[in-house]
């Protein structure tokens, strides 16, 4: 109807909101609120898992006598990089060979009972020794992850000595295999604690899950217990909780830990770590690296870059490039060692979790095929269970009876 006063037609009244539209808006609001709440819950759960993983790692801490030395009441705290005679840990007197052999025997129990016990059974008694024994020995060695090539070398040795009538009994066959394995794993290498470069820069590499960060923490503890000052470089900037985990290990051992931001370039963090170590007068700098990168950059190329950057920070660095391998992966550990060695020219390997696998024979394959020395082995969860590799104790642990 037209308004007679203004001559205009009034606007049509706005209809009230439809009930369905209101319900839809409420639904979408609730949906996004729930989605947001789930996202927050997921982040909190992930953070809680990271804290629990770290707590579980710390629950493996050794008894008080193996902890880093504590300050007495009223004594000023040890400053980063300080290495005075009053605060430096007293050198540890190495334990005798019997203790080391017992540790290897315990740590290699699964490998020994899995394969080498069957080998011992096969080579016991008064059975006739002939070429047939080789056919029975070969699959046992391969099953223990000694590797096809290394197994072939051992079998060729047995065949040769059988032909020359040198092996007239099962006991002599067992001793021949034992002696050859000892020769294979006896790859010479310098003693870590006795290196004289100052600072001695150690680059630690390996895939995620091998135990790099924990191994660095245990190695730092070992060096500190022998009176050395140590700086840790938290170069694994991609794995959740890796930096925090290394910091805790460093605090416990009395080490400076150089950290970067999450996702920061690993090479930059380790460059700063080397510089910091030189400023602090550290004896050793241990650099952690990423085992997996959330980018499209090839891992090996990135690690090559890290090595070059560390060399720019200090001439001759890194003096050691150590690969941490999970012994439970068996022959895959050998493949990893080969690939990392081609890219980085490794100075040695560290085998972790040897006590948790029946595949300890992979140590033999790595030493024989790649001529790489095994520098340390993890035969337990305590700090003291990261042990310098002892070829004789290792072989005794494999062939021990009982």
């Amino acid at each position: 109807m037209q308004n007679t006063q203004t001559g205009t037609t009034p606007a049509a009244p706005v209809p009230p909101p439809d009930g369905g539209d209101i319900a839809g808006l409420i639904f979408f609001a609730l949906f996004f609120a729930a989605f947001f709440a789930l996202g927050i819950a997921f982040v909190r759960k992930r953070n809680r898992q990271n804290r629990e993983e770290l707590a579980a790692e710390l629950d493996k801490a050794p008894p008080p006598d193996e902890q880093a030395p504590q300050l007495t009441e009223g004594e000023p705290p040890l400053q980063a990089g300080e290495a005075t005679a009053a605060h430096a840990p007293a050198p540890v007197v190495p334990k005798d060979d019997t203790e080391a052999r017992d540790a290897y025997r315990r740590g290699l129990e699964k490998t020994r009972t899995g394969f080498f016990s069957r080998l011992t059974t096969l080579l016991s008694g008064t059975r006739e020794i002939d070429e047939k024994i080789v056919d029975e020995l070969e699959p046992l060695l391969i099953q223990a992850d000694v590797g096809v090539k290394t197994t072939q070398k051992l079998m060729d040795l047995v065949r040769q000595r059988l032909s020359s009538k040198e092996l007239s009994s099962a006991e002599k066959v067992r001793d021949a295999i034992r002696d050859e394995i000892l020769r294979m794993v006896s790859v010479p290498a310098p003693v870590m604690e006795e290196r004289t470069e100052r600072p001695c820069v150690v680059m630690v590499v390996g895939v995620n899950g091998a135990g790099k960060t924990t191994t660095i923490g245990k190695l730092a503890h070992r060096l500190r217990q022998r009176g050395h000052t140590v700086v840790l470089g938290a170069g694994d900037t991609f794995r959740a909780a890796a930096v925090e985990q290394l910091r805790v290990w460093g605090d416990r051992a009395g080490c400076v830990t150089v950290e970067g931001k999450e996702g920061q370039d690993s090479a930059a963090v380790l460059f700063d770590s080397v510089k910091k170590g030189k400023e602090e007068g550290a004896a050793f700098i241990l650099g952690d690296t990423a085992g997996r990168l959330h980018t499209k950059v090839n891992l090996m190329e990135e690690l090559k870059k890290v090595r070059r950057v560390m060399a720019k920070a200090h001439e001759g660095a890194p003096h050691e490039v150590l690969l941490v391998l999970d012994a439970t992966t068996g022959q895959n550990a050998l493949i990893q060692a080969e690939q990392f060695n081609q890219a980085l020219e490794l100075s040695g390997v560290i085998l972790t979790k040897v006590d948790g696998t029946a595949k300890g024979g992979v140590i033999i394959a790595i030493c024989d095929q790649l001529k790489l020395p095994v520098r340390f082995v993890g035969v337990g969860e305590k700090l003291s269970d990261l042990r310098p590799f002892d070829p004789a104790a290792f072989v005794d642990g494999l062939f021990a009876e009982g």
Side-chain angles (χ1 to χ4, degrees):
M1 174 176 134
Q2 188 175 19
N3 190 316
T4 56
Q5 295 181 349
T6 62
T8 61
T9 303
V14 178
D18 183 80
D21 293 338
I22 295 176
L25 291 173
I26 294 175
F27 171 79
F28 281 110
L30 291 175
F31 174 80
F32 284 114
F35 184 79
F36 184 72
L38 285 173
I40 294 177
F42 175 79
V43 172
R44 289 178 176 174
K45 179 181 179 181
R46 183 57 184 163
N47 290 337
R48 184 171 64 254
Q49 288 175 341
N50 289 336
R51 290 193 296 270
E52 289 173 353
E53 289 174 3
L54 184 59
E57 197 68 52
L58 297 180
D59 285 341
K60 302 174 184 177
D65 61 323
E66 293 185 3
Q67 293 279 5
Q70 301 295 317
L71 300 176
T72 56
E73 185 176 355
E75 185 178 5
L78 180 64
Q79 297 300 313
E82 199 170 320
T84 63
H87 294 98
V92 174
V93 178
K95 299 180 181 179
D96 59 32
D97 288 342
T98 301
E99 195 274 338
R101 290 173 190 272
D102 287 345
Y104 271 91
R105 179 170 176 166
R106 293 191 302 270
L108 291 166
E109 181 179 0
K110 290 187 177 181
T111 298
R112 182 174 60 252
T113 56
F115 148 68
F116 283 91
S117 63
R118 297 200 296 271
L119 181 145
T120 301
T121 300
L122 178 64
L123 298 178
S124 62
T126 58
R127 65 165 290 175
E128 181 181 355
I129 302 302
D130 53 27
E131 286 283 344
K132 292 180 180 179
I133 199 170
V134 176
D135 296 331
E136 297 180 59
L137 284 172
E138 191 167 2
L140 292 181
L141 287 163
I142 293 175
Q143 288 170 21
D145 279 275
V146 174
V148 175
K149 292 182 179 179
T150 302
T151 296
Q152 191 61 52
K153 289 182 181 181
L154 291 170
M155 294 303 94
D156 287 345
L157 173 72
V158 172
R159 289 190 183 95
Q160 179 184 350
R161 294 192 179 180
L162 282 173
S163 299
S164 60
K165 308 299 182 184
E166 296 178 54
L167 304 179
S168 57
S169 67
E171 182 178 358
K172 289 186 177 181
V173 174
R174 182 175 64 251
D175 290 344
I177 294 175
R178 177 185 179 130
D179 292 345
E180 183 63 12
I181 289 176
L182 177 58
R183 187 195 66 77
M184 287 177 169
V185 299
S186 298
V187 182
V191 177
M192 176 71 72
E193 297 90 330
E194 297 178 2
R195 296 209 63 131
T196 57
E197 300 90 348
R198 289 296 178 267
C200 179
V201 181
V202 182
M203 178 180 176
V204 184
V205 300
V207 301
N208 273 1
K212 288 193 313 300
T213 306
T214 299
T215 297
I216 291 172
K218 291 181 178 181
L219 184 56
H221 173 85
R222 179 181 179 83
L223 293 170
R224 288 289 291 146
Q225 287 293 90
R226 283 153 179 77
H228 297 296
T229 49
V230 181
V231 167
L232 305 181
D236 188 354
T237 55
F238 292 94
R239 182 173 66 85
V243 174
E244 181 181 1
Q245 184 182 0
L246 191 65
R247 184 196 314 127
V248 172
W249 279 111
D251 290 345
R252 194 163 35 152
C255 305
V256 175
T257 302
V258 178
E259 306 173 18
K261 298 179 181 178
E262 184 176 347
Q264 183 179 348
D265 181 39
S266 179
V269 176
L270 294 181
F271 181 89
D272 292 341
S273 302
V274 175
K275 289 295 187 183
K276 181 67 173 178
K278 293 172 69 174
E279 293 171 3
E280 297 287 347
F284 287 87
I285 300 169
L286 309 181
D288 195 6
T289 58
R292 180 189 63 192
L293 301 179
H294 296 293
T295 68
K296 296 181 180 180
V297 180
N298 179 273
L299 172 60
M300 295 302 176
E301 292 302 317
E302 184 70 14
L303 291 176
K304 289 179 184 179
K305 170 189 169 184
V306 170
R307 178 168 185 156
R308 292 193 300 269
V309 170
M310 294 176 81
K312 291 180 181 179
H314 182 63
E315 185 177 358
H319 304 98
E320 296 266 11
V321 182
L322 300 178
L323 171 64
V324 178
L325 294 170
D326 180 350
T328 64
T329 61
Q331 284 298 294
N332 189 43
L334 175 62
I335 297 171
Q336 290 178 33
E338 185 175 13
Q339 293 175 343
F340 275 92
N341 191 41
Q342 289 175 353
L344 300 169
E345 297 181 7
L346 302 173
S347 60
V349 300
I350 300 175
L351 268 293
T352 64
K353 310 174 189 178
V354 174
D355 58 311
T357 181
K359 300 178 179 181
V362 71
I363 292 177
I364 305 169
I366 290 172
C367 292
D368 172 55
Q369 296 181 37
L370 303 180
K371 309 304 178 189
L372 281 174
V374 175
R375 306 295 290 279
F376 294 90
V377 292
V379 293
E381 295 182 344
K382 296 188 299 184
L383 287 176
S384 60
D385 286 331
L386 180 67
R387 293 184 170 272
F389 183 64
D390 183 332
F394 170 74
V395 174
D396 284 348
L398 289 178
F399 286 87
E401 298 181 1

